[in-house]
Amino acid sequence: MNTIRSTDICSLNLCTSSPALLHKWRREDAAKLPFKKQIRLAGIYIHIPFCKQHCHYCNFHFVTSLRQKDQLIAALVKEIEMQKKYLEGEPIESVYFGGGTPSLLPVDDFRSLIGRLGEIFNIEKDAEFTLE
């Protein structure tokens, strides 16, 4: 049985982070949906948890100190390397830095992350990069 990956489900406008839903779908199921054309989209989201202050509406993990920034960048690079086979060479059309306030990071940290992403994954030449 070929299990659909989240990139396949996102192409069907059924994005979810629920592993339970991902395991229920198979490629054969996707082929039965009433879409004329199935577009495959692969993207990468990187959570940068740094914030200047706590926002009362936010439920995401965040910190208001950059004290452990270098350790976080090192951990993100390691995670990128560990996920090398996850997308199986599929072209990446979108890289999204969310959080927090990713713009609190220095440019050199983004160069490091984006450079490693480019070495590990197949990033399209016209890929969209978003900084929340």
Side-chain angles (χ1 to χ4, degrees):
M1 178 172 93
N2 293 329
T3 302
I4 279 190
R5 294 185 313 271
S6 60
T7 53
D8 299 312
I9 290 176
C10 286
S11 71
L12 304 173
N13 294 322
L14 299 171
C15 293
T16 181
S17 60
S18 168
L21 180 59
L22 291 180
H23 294 298
K24 290 180 185 175
W25 281 85
R26 297 172 309 191
R27 291 192 187 283
E28 306 86 68
D29 297 328
K32 295 175 187 174
L33 291 172
F35 298 105
K36 291 182 181 177
K37 181 179 179 185
Q38 293 182 12
I39 301 170
R40 295 180 59 111
L41 301 174
I44 295 173
Y45 172 81
I46 297 180
H47 186 77
I48 307 293
F50 303 116
C51 297
K52 288 184 178 181
Q53 65 184 24
H54 172 253
C55 297
H56 69 281
Y57 55 83
C58 182
N59 291 324
F60 293 100
H61 170 73
F62 71 95
V63 293
T64 56
S65 169
L66 293 173
R67 196 174 50 219
Q68 294 182 319
K69 174 190 73 67
D70 292 339
Q71 292 93 326
L72 175 78
I73 298 303
L76 287 172
V77 168
K78 186 173 184 175
E79 181 71 18
I80 289 167
E81 292 166 354
M82 289 170 41
Q83 297 298 328
K84 184 176 187 172
K85 295 181 181 180
Y86 180 71
L87 294 173
E88 300 174 345
E90 201 165 319
I92 305 299
E93 299 180 17
S94 170
V95 177
Y96 188 93
F97 292 93
T101 309
S103 59
L104 291 176
L105 288 183
V107 171
D108 286 342
D109 289 332
F110 284 106
R111 281 190 187 115
S112 174
L113 292 169
I114 292 169
R116 196 63 184 131
L117 285 169
E119 292 168 2
I120 298 287
F121 296 105
N122 180 17
I123 308 270
E124 292 282 310
K125 290 180 180 163
D126 61 348
E128 177 182 330
F129 286 80
T130 304
L131 183 65
E132 184 179 285

